[in-house]
Amino acid sequence: MTAVPAGTANWSSSGTGAPAPARPAVPWLTIIPLAAMMAYADGFWMVSLRGAVGAIERTQEPFASWLRESTVLLPAFVLAVIAAVTLALRWFGPLLAGKKAFLTTALLVAAAGTVAGTVILAASEAWDYALQHDLMGSLHHASSVQSVEQLDQASLGLQLTAFGYGVGLLLVTNLVVTGWTVAIRGGRLDVSRQQKATPRRTPRRAVTGRARTVATDLRQTLAAVALFGSAAIHLAVIPDHLSHWVVASAFFLALALAEVAGGVLLLGRPGLNVLVAVAVASVVPLVLWVWSRTSGLPFGPNSNAPEPVGLADVAACLLELGTLVIALVLLRARRRETGEPERRTAASAHLRALAVVGAIAIGSLGVAGAVPGWLGELPSSGDTTHSVTH
Amino acid sequence: MSEESATTNNVSRRNLLRLGAAGGAGAAVVAAQGWAGPLLAQKGLLSPDGAFAASSTALGDLLFYIEAFPTSPLILTPFKDQLPIPKALAPTPAVGDGFTKGYTEWSDPPGPGQGQQSSFKNERHQIWPNTIGSPDPVVYKIDLLLRQHAFTTSQVLPIDANGRPTISFDEKRKTYPAGTKRMLPLSTIYGFNGQFPGPMINAEYGKPALVRFENHLDENPLNLDRQDFGSPDWSFLTHLHNGHTAPESDGNPHYTMVSGPKYEGYMPQTFCDNLYLNWPAGNDDREKQSFFWFHDHRMDHTGSNVYKGMVGLYPIYDPKNGMDMGDERQGLRLPGVRKDNPDGSFDVDYDIPLAFYDCRLDDGVTMHKDIHDVQKEFPAAKNPAKHPEWWGKTFYKHFPNHGFVGDIFTVNGTANPVMEVKRRKYRFRFLDASIARIYEFKLMSSTKGPKSSVSLGYKGDELEGQYRIPDAQQCMQFTQIASDGGLLPFPIKRDSFELWPAKRREVVVDFSRYQDGTPTTKGDVIYLTNVMKMPNGRMWSNSSRFAPDPSYKVPMIKIVIGDDAPDDSQIPVKMRDLPPLPGNWQTMLDNRLIFEVERGSGGGETEWLINGKPFVPDTVATSLKNRAGRSPLAQQKKGSYNLWEIRNGGGGWVHPFHLHMEEHRTVMRNGRDVTRGGDKSHPDDVSREDLVALDPGESVIIYRGFRDFVGPYVAHCHNLAHEDHAMMFGWEITP
Ligand SMILES: [Cu+2]
């Protein structure tokens, strides 16, 4: 029996023993399970921590919250894992050779998941603290000894402690989960996949999906995804507006349809007019948003009253801003290089995936933020001071 | 071929890894099901949400709310102190006798006029007895005094959490080596007339009582160290639990914050006249009750004030047709031999109130530290600090994450009392005056008698109760005759019964025979035994209903059978009918008011909420959305009736939820109609109550009336650690 280099034979990627792929593709089969495991495991801790120290508005029905939030945040974890894998690809090449490369990659993946989890945890706890702060403010114990600041201080301290422990829990969990996921896949941890699939594996995908994506410019793909994302967010806010402002709902519906159309056209070979239309479809909501959040719109049920900034509208704006920038860049490129054959950006599949998943992550957050109660934002039922004097 | 064998090797290694990972996960699932499953099921947590609640609680206990409680020193000679049996408090005469002033001679005499209800002179009594055809009230005076109390006269052995002898201290912080037997110092109390339990008022329907509660807690004639609990401004607020009482006499913060003192309680050198009409709701005889107690209700400090001693007893008799007037020769012929005293009061033999209260004594090495210290409520204590000078005195924690339970169980203020009984029937009025502890009582006999838990090798929480009777067997039954709302429609035979905080249950016990029919003989010993293990303030870990622990049998009272005595009492077949329930009560379900008691972190010390809101004293709460799609305010018209639903928001806690003003009747429990009884865990659902005992995850729908008075009231959890940390809501009756 000839010794096969330990790293390659026991731990490496492809299992077919095929030579390194010429142009590495994204190993989705590795990335998605890792991201999903980390998203749901980290989500468990986040929801549990919230149950211990979080705001009460966000602690009801923890199981549903966990399912919902982990799913909404899944793209963020996918993004993190792609980033880790991309880095590993840079460092070790398309095939992981040796235990060191393998372990470093696994650690990178767990660390990236932890970074994503930490950012989410921080946002979640900041929100808890804000809600608790509001609750404290609404308390008016007349007793001189109880001061709101002291209670506030106490809840802030608790949130900070919880954050500290939370990061530790996430890190340990992600290490375990990464290890387990790699083990259950038979020790498989790929940083890349062969571009051209061998006939044995997934013959269909090679012809259909792949060819199409490769053909499209990354910038176009990105703008299309961003448009789809903001369309989804705009669709999601329709029900909430329906009750008090039908005109706004109609506007959001029209906008969403326009965005979907723009996205579809962008995926093809967009002409000048399509690019201009996309730019306009991005500028209009951006202008309206800035207007409504600063001085307030001069029409509608709450005219001239600035609206509060929320997760959904910020996410939509980010996506629209991205689309706008890309549309302008494409327009400029087109004007400069008229007549020349279209130049493709030579981004690697990994970078391409990073950008696209990033846009999806923002869209996913935005959609979740638009549905009342989904990320815990509930309409508060106001108590009323009692009316009878006695 | 090497290539081939490498591949095989590779494949088998893969399979091994896969197998290992799958096996590990499988083992974890099996272990979780076998070990955590039953635990979670008992706590109502065997559900996806429950798993999260359990994990949150575990995180909280492990990481955020670490708290240490002292282990009380071991009482070395238990069951030597006599059970104190309170005598009726004498009323204040209208005209004095040279020693004491009569109430008409007080500088501010009580009366029906404007400004005559309290020293604030800004309120009047909503209903003076003459408007309902009752005589002027019998007047009592009760002063709030700073005094001392002994829980035992026995020597004690200081022990640590592992039951090993440990060091102890005295008031000069002098250290005594481990193994030194000690006498306990007296504990500092705030008491009604300076005693614990406070005085007992024997009341009667048709004879209103007016109690002037006067605050002298600022006076410190014995120069006592007040320690670090009890309301820091020495204010009080007395609630008669659960009299049908007007808001100004009800002692609830929803009232006091907007009227009267306009503060959480009555400050030192102020007084308040609580007028108890001793008149049933709606003047309906079927609403008559039989056992009240009065206790402090000062906002945010009810638990610390009650624990510091503010507990009084108030049995109420019904002389109408002699039905239940303390005379076993008349009416229902319940046990009781009445003796009328010359001062106008009366005592009833063989009719004994039993107030249960658990405490912890300071070990001098446990850190005193909670949020109330950050707030500088007790600056003299300089907390966080250890207090060896308080060794052996009551220890309290205001803001316990797990709730507060004691490890010394007392009855009528005495730990491990003994009581000699005649060979006849007795009526016992049980009251749980504890912060959070729930008891389950059984009458048991034993040949070998009690052994200290330490000597049996127990440690930690298992030491709670200090003694156990390993060979105890049930020997007698109880005949339950009353619950919170007074006499039941019919007596219920019970092997054991639970007593939740603030709840009352009355039983008749026949000490002339055992349950198997054999007669008792003089000198026989019976133990009133607690069989519910409740290691912390959350809930029981073991009880007869859930996971009984046959080795947890804690003797509470040693009962010694004495001489024969005449017995004219009988156990009746039928007692008091329930007030009627409208035939169409089910049609009221859609519009019911819904209140969910929840655990939640509002930050700081706001941990216990109702419908997601902390208690705001000048505010009426809002119901959750009901089936009719409305979220009504907790406002009811005077004379109306409604269904209210109280839900346990989960998290592995139980809540004794108390509603002021009128007794209610449970109509549904967990979605099932229980108006004809039928719930095995709650056989006295067919009675009137003022406290909803919420098992984990339970929801209870009650039918209640809002009669006779208008104004603000409260409803709250009677786990006093919960009540003091915002698990209370305001509601009101509108004209
Ligand atoms: Cu409670």
Side-chain angles (χ1 to χ4, degrees), chain B residues 561-618:
Chain B
I561 305 289
D563 293 318
D564 290 1
D567 186 355
D568 293 315
S569 69
Q570 287 176 359
I571 290 177
V573 180
K574 185 176 164 312
M575 293 184 290
R576 205 185 279 291
D577 285 333
L578 284 171
L581 196 60
N584 65 344
W585 65 268
Q586 265 127 338
T587 60
M588 301 161 78
L589 280 170
D590 283 359
N591 261 317
R592 67 182 183 264
L593 269 59
I594 303 170
F595 301 98
E596 182 168 295
V597 293
E598 299 147 341
R599 152 113 201 184
S601 180
E605 59 164 318
T606 322
E607 282 254 296
W608 302 101
L609 310 174
I610 290 168
N611 290 355
K613 302 269 173 186
F615 177 53
V616 183
D618 59 357

Side-chain angles (χ1 to χ4, degrees), chain B residues 418-461:
Chain B
V418 60
M419 175 200 191
E420 195 187 270
V421 295
K422 304 283 189 227
R423 292 191 61 244
R424 56 154 287 153
K425 289 192 278 305
Y426 277 70
R427 174 179 188 166
F428 290 108
R429 299 171 190 257
F430 283 74
L431 159 71
D432 184 354
S434 310
I435 302 278
R437 184 173 291 283
I438 305 173
Y439 304 85
E440 183 186 357
F441 296 112
K442 267 190 179 173
L443 290 165
M444 306 185 105
S445 60
S446 145
T447 45
K448 295 197 180 119
K451 302 270 179 290
S452 73
S453 309
V454 170
S455 70
L456 296 169
Y458 290 109
K459 287 184 168 75
D461 293 343

Side-chain angles (χ1 to χ4, degrees), chain B residues 446-637:
Chain B
S446 145
T447 45
K448 295 197 180 119
K451 302 270 179 290
S452 73
S453 309
V454 170
S455 70
L456 296 169
Y458 290 109
K459 287 184 168 75
D461 293 343
E462 297 277 342
L463 292 175
E464 287 171 17
Q466 295 209 333
Y467 282 84
R468 296 195 186 191
I469 330 176
D471 68 338
Q473 299 284 339
Q474 188 192 336
C475 64
M476 284 184 184
Q477 281 186 310
F478 303 99
T479 304
Q480 190 188 346
I481 54 167
S483 61
D484 322 348
L487 296 171
L488 305 176
F490 44 81
I492 304 174
K493 283 254 181 213
R494 304 193 72 168
D495 291 322
S496 73
F497 66 90
E498 290 177 13
L499 195 67
W500 289 48
K503 248 193 178 314
R504 288 88 64 214
R505 272 174 168 159
E506 293 174 48
V507 300
V508 171
V509 178
D510 186 349
F511 289 115
S512 69
R513 318 195 150 264
Y514 292 105
Q515 64 186 26
D516 62 6
T518 39
T520 54
T521 48
K522 188 172 173 176
D524 284 2
V525 172
I526 295 156
Y527 290 94
L528 179 75
T529 309
N530 175 32
V531 297
M532 178 182 280
K533 184 154 77 189
M534 186 158 164
N536 56 44
R538 275 197 196 103
M539 64 175 292
W540 55 85
S541 59
N542 308 84
S543 78
S544 295
R545 290 198 287 142
F546 302 91
D549 175 357
S551 62
Y552 192 81
K553 291 175 282 202
V554 174
M556 305 282 294
I557 307 177
K558 178 180 182 179
I559 300 168
V560 182
I561 305 289
D563 293 318
D564 290 1
D567 186 355
D568 293 315
S569 69
Q570 287 176 359
I571 290 177
V573 180
K574 185 176 164 312
M575 293 184 290
R576 205 185 279 291
D577 285 333
L578 284 171
L581 196 60
N584 65 344
W585 65 268
Q586 265 127 338
T587 60
M588 301 161 78
L589 280 170
D590 283 359
N591 261 317
R592 67 182 183 264
L593 269 59
I594 303 170
F595 301 98
E596 182 168 295
V597 293
E598 299 147 341
R599 152 113 201 184
S601 180
E605 59 164 318
T606 322
E607 282 254 296
W608 302 101
L609 310 174
I610 290 168
N611 290 355
K613 302 269 173 186
F615 177 53
V616 183
D618 59 357
T619 294
V620 166
T622 309
S623 159
L624 292 183
K625 197 175 265 184
N626 59 27
R627 283 208 306 235
R630 281 190 282 271
S631 305
L633 285 177
Q635 277 171 336
Q636 300 280 164
K637 275 230 170 295

Side-chain angles (χ1 to χ4, degrees), chain B residues 207 228 302:
Chain B
K207 288 187 189 156
D228 54 3
T302 297

Side-chain angles (χ1 to χ4, degrees), chain B residues 180-221:
Chain B
T180 315
K181 292 178 185 171
R182 302 286 312 278
M183 295 302 293
L184 285 176
L186 297 174
S187 282
T188 304
I189 61 162
Y190 292 168
F192 294 114
N193 285 348
Q195 62 190 74
F196 176 74
M200 175 171 80
I201 292 174
N202 274 342
E204 284 182 283
Y205 274 102
K207 288 187 189 156
L210 182 146
V211 187
R212 172 157 301 182
F213 291 98
E214 201 168 275
N215 189 342
H216 294 275
L217 289 176
D218 54 330
E219 300 160 17
N220 191 352

Side-chain angles (χ1 to χ4, degrees), chain B residues 58 67 69 95 119 138 184 253 293 311 317 359 384 396 412-413 419 434 450 476 572 615 646 659 669:
Chain B
E67 48 195 14
F69 293 98
V95 184
S119 54
V138 181
L184 285 176
W293 65 302
V311 170
Y317 295 85
C359 62
Y396 187 66
N412 294 350
M419 175 200 191
S434 310
M476 284 184 184
F615 177 53
I646 314 291
L659 301 103
R669 197 175 270 281

Side-chain angles (χ1 to χ4, degrees), chain B residues 654-655 717 719 722 727:
Chain B
V654 298
H655 302 283
C717 183
N719 178 328
H722 296 184
M727 193 176 260

